[in-house]
Amino acid sequence: MAVVLQGFGLSSSNSLSSKIFQLGSFKSWPVRNGSVVVIRSDLEFSEGSNPRTRVINTNAVAANADSSTSSTASKYRFYRLVGKGCKLVGCGSALPKLVVSNDDLAQIVETSDEWISVRTGIRNRRILSGNETLTGLAIEASRKALQMAQVEADDLDLIVLCTSTPDDIFGSAPQVQRELGCKKDPLAFDIRAACSGFVLGLTTAASYIRALGYQNVLVIGADALSRCVDWADRGTCILFGDAAGAVLVQASDDDENALLGYDMHSDGGGQRHLNAILKEDPTENILSSNGSALFPPKPSSYSRIQMNGSEVFRFAVRCVPQSIETSLEKAGLTSSDIDWLLLHQANQRIIDAVATRLQISSEHVISNLANYGNTSAASIPLALDEAVRSGKVKAGNIIATAGFGAGVTWGSAIVRWG
């Protein structure tokens, strides 16, 4: 089968579909017989691992063209591992030492253990104290995940830290990379999507594996929202705790792919119901500006978490089941195929409502909300780690997971463990 490298001026005896698919630096063209041409400059001309795919060395093909075309083609490298999937091979978690119970909170605000537990399902939460840091929790969780996966830190290709409360406003993932001792300096960056962060992290890991050929991606969910709550507001201070969880995502053959289907959305209109917005301090500006209208810039800081609980509840019980149903449809599965439902641990009433909508019995729902509260991006990997280490989740189990929260953002993924 001859091919055309469009844009390089090369010709072909085969007609190509007029529709060109572009994914990052990867290009593929569906041809008349339904196979796909995948172009890479680092491989010899050969058949791909997928029988419907042909892998071609652009430089080798370009050598048959005129010199100007060959020179253009040799500048570009297109990376795409054909037939590659990903699998979840290790997990870990970490918690602060300080336990704050509902009774402890009753000493601070007008509330009680019964009032909190009935409305949320939460009884305890962990809070950073002393010399503990979010980065430290992320590192501890990561080391446990690497140990379970039997992968060395030097073998990591990417570290994704999902957090809205980094120790450094410019991001904490590089510090995690440094402390893990990664000698090859793999890319490390933060994703800030609050309680949806970990699901976005999983799909990001899968994308890097599929599109760029990465082998080992560490996805961390870690948050310390105790730093952001108003401890005089009983509507929010009772909800949140601090934690970290991590999962090692590894390249696999396509028939072992663990990410079976996913669905993700955002709606900026929902920000008014859940936010922590940057605000200026006009009083401080007057005192420090020396009368200048333009300089220095106005000082500012983030507000404490503001939340309309009833609206967030309605949003979650409406959008989350829809998203999971969409992910199941993409995976070619139904709710009866799910071994476990693992939602972001925000409120037990939300978890129960989503399970009812999907007709999943409580015996197949993973929840540790009572012990830790809402740990934002950490909640899914924290609950997963506990379920795996306790033997509840076993290799081959199919898990429907979903994150939802500030932004507002929400997303779901159907994954296979192990």
Side-chain angles (χ1 to χ4, degrees), residues 95-286:
L95 294 159
K97 295 177 182 178
L98 178 62
V99 179
V100 177
S101 69
N102 291 346
D103 289 332
D104 293 329
L105 290 179
Q107 307 302 312
I108 301 173
V109 293
E110 185 180 351
T111 189
S112 67
D113 175 65
E114 181 182 10
W115 193 91
I116 298 171
S117 60
V118 168
R119 287 163 176 78
T120 69
I122 301 169
R123 292 190 177 276
N124 296 290
R125 70 280 297 145
R126 300 291 187 96
I127 303 296
L128 286 175
S129 63
N131 296 325
E132 294 174 329
T133 65
L134 184 79
T135 303
L137 292 182
I139 293 166
E140 181 182 346
S142 298
R143 286 175 174 156
K144 291 177 180 177
L146 289 170
Q147 183 180 31
M148 180 184 288
Q150 298 183 343
V151 171
E152 298 295 327
D154 285 344
D155 293 326
L156 290 175
D157 300 304
L158 172 65
I159 298 172
V160 179
L161 175 59
C162 310
T163 183
S164 295
T165 54
D167 290 329
D168 186 327
I169 195 172
F170 295 125
S172 293
Q175 299 306 308
V176 175
Q177 179 239 60
R178 182 191 68 178
E179 294 301 322
L180 288 177
C182 304
K183 297 177 182 177
K184 297 179 182 178
D185 299 329
L187 174 63
F189 60 83
D190 290 17
I191 289 180
R192 184 170 289 193
C195 306
S196 305
F198 186 75
V199 174
L200 271 64
L202 282 181
T203 56
T204 298
S207 298
Y208 272 81
I209 287 171
R210 284 182 174 276
L212 298 180
Y214 285 27
Q215 292 296 307
N216 294 297
V217 181
L218 183 64
V219 181
I220 310 162
D223 263 314
L225 290 182
S226 65
R227 297 168 170 172
C228 306
V229 300
D230 178 356
W231 288 99
D233 175 13
R234 74 169 184 172
T236 57
C237 76
I238 63 172
L239 300 175
F240 299 103
D242 307 334
V247 169
L248 197 286
V249 185
Q250 191 172 74
S252 69
D253 293 333
D254 206 28
D255 58 2
E256 295 180 308
N257 189 31
L259 182 59
L260 307 177
Y262 62 89
D263 175 70
M264 295 180 292
H265 301 275
S266 294
D267 177 7
Q271 182 197 37
R272 66 187 185 277
H273 300 309
L274 182 56
N275 62 72
I277 298 174
L278 189 69
K279 293 186 176 181
E280 297 173 351
D281 186 341
T283 304
E284 187 176 345
N285 182 58
I286 292 171

Side-chain angles (χ1 to χ4, degrees), residues 283-335:
T283 304
E284 187 176 345
N285 182 58
I286 292 171
L287 295 176
S288 62
S289 65
N290 198 27
S292 170
L294 299 177
F295 189 83
K298 297 178 180 179
S300 58
S301 61
Y302 290 98
S303 69
R304 299 300 182 182
I305 294 174
Q306 307 294 316
M307 185 178 71
N308 183 331
S310 59
E311 288 297 330
V312 172
F313 180 88
R314 279 193 284 270
F315 146 72
V317 297
R318 181 183 73 254
C319 293
V320 173
Q322 292 174 352
S323 180
I324 292 175
E325 286 168 347
T326 298
S327 290
L328 283 169
E329 184 177 356
K330 290 179 179 179
L333 301 172
T334 67
S335 59

Side-chain angles (χ1 to χ4, degrees), residues 77 269 297 341 355 404:
R77 292 172 66 86
L341 177 65
F404 49 91

